[in-house]
Each structure stands twice: as structure tokens, then as C-alpha cells.
Amino acid sequence: MSDTPQKKAYKAPEITVTFESRRCLHAARCINGLPEVFDTSARPWIRPDRAPADQLAEVVRRCPSGALRYELPDGGRETPDRPTRITRTPGGQLVVRGDLSLDTQEGTHHETRAVLCGCGNSQMQPYCDHSGRCGQ
């Protein structure tokens, strides 16, 4: 996993967690799930060495947008949900979990979780960035 300006890696011996800030929709599943690891008042705000890798991976999988991901030292990654599930939020966003192939401005992305724009106004198509009516 490489670092880009929008994606940062946080490494521990047993797991690496990446965070892509532009995809974060602030659902707070990470902060509520493992506050000892995810602490927005601390720097770095993600400290993966503060919880067992399996417990941390479980909390990362709760992130609906896919802003958080993980990789294990042996190359192990999240297994996609099967069958793929799509749920529409009351605002119109599409919450998708499964084996996904999404065409984006940067090319094709393979994902296991994403929140997609339902109104067409996101600047990060197909992802929701909360700029349109579906993200309000």
C-alpha cells in the first residue's frame, strides 16, 4: 500500500491501516469501535499497535466508505462480502459492500466497501463527498 497525499499508511508489526481522508464520511465507527487506536486529538491519530490485529481489522471493516483499509504482513486483505449488497440511505447515497470494480477519474479501483453518490453532484464520482443533496 502506497502513501498518496490523500492516503496515509499507519504501520504496526502485525497490521498496516491506511486512511484516505477524502473518502471519509465521518461515520465514527472507528472512533467508537477502538478509541484507544483511533483518536482524532492525538498525532498520529491512528495507532495500530494499541490493539490486536484481528480486533483492529474487524473495526476497519465497519467503515462504510472504505476510507479505512488494512493489510496484513503476509499480504492478507479484507475478504469481500458475498453476495454484494447495495443499500440506499434516506438521503440517496448507495452503500455498497462486496467484490467491487469501480471506474473513477483515476482509473479502475477494486474495493470491498464504498459509499456512492446518488445525486450526481459529488466531485469524486462515483464516491459520495457530501457536496450534493444525497450527502447532506
Side-chain angles (χ1 to χ4, degrees), residues 18 23 57 59-70 78 80-81 85 95-100 102 110-116 127:
T18 59
R23 287 190 48 195
V59 169
V60 167
R61 286 190 293 269
R62 294 179 197 164
C63 172
S65 69
L68 288 170
R69 298 185 201 178
Y70 69 88
E78 183 174 348
D81 288 359
R85 295 177 309 178
V95 180
V96 186
R97 296 181 78 87
D99 191 6
L100 314 174
L102 300 172
H110 296 282
E111 307 274 354
T112 57
R113 294 168 280 117
V115 176
L116 306 179
Y127 306 106

Side-chain angles (χ1 to χ4, degrees), residues 8-18 34 36-39 44-57 60 69-71:
K8 183 159 174 54
Y10 300 87
K11 299 179 182 190
E14 307 228 344
I15 191 167
T16 296
V17 175
T18 59
L34 280 173
E36 63 273 25
V37 172
F38 301 97
D39 181 355
W45 82 277
I46 299 174
R47 295 171 289 182
D49 57 338
R50 295 196 169 189
D54 60 338
Q55 191 177 22
L56 181 51
V60 167
R69 298 185 201 178
Y70 69 88
E71 186 173 322

Side-chain angles (χ1 to χ4, degrees), residues 14-28:
E14 307 228 344
I15 191 167
T16 296
V17 175
T18 59
F19 176 66
E20 189 174 354
S21 61
R22 67 187 187 141
R23 287 190 48 195
C24 182
L25 298 177
H26 307 289

Side-chain angles (χ1 to χ4, degrees), residues 78-111:
E78 183 174 348
T79 302
D81 288 359
R82 296 198 194 279
T84 296
R85 295 177 309 178
I86 302 171
T87 307
R88 184 176 292 277
T89 67
Q93 297 165 312
L94 299 172
V95 180
V96 186
R97 296 181 78 87
D99 191 6
L100 314 174
S101 178
L102 300 172
D103 294 329
T104 72
Q105 296 167 351
E106 293 93 26
T108 302
H109 287 221
H110 296 282
E111 307 274 354

Side-chain angles (χ1 to χ4, degrees), residues 29-44:
R29 306 250 170 84
C30 55
I31 295 165
N32 294 331
L34 280 173
E36 63 273 25
V37 172
F38 301 97
D39 181 355
T40 58
S41 67
R43 293 293 172 261

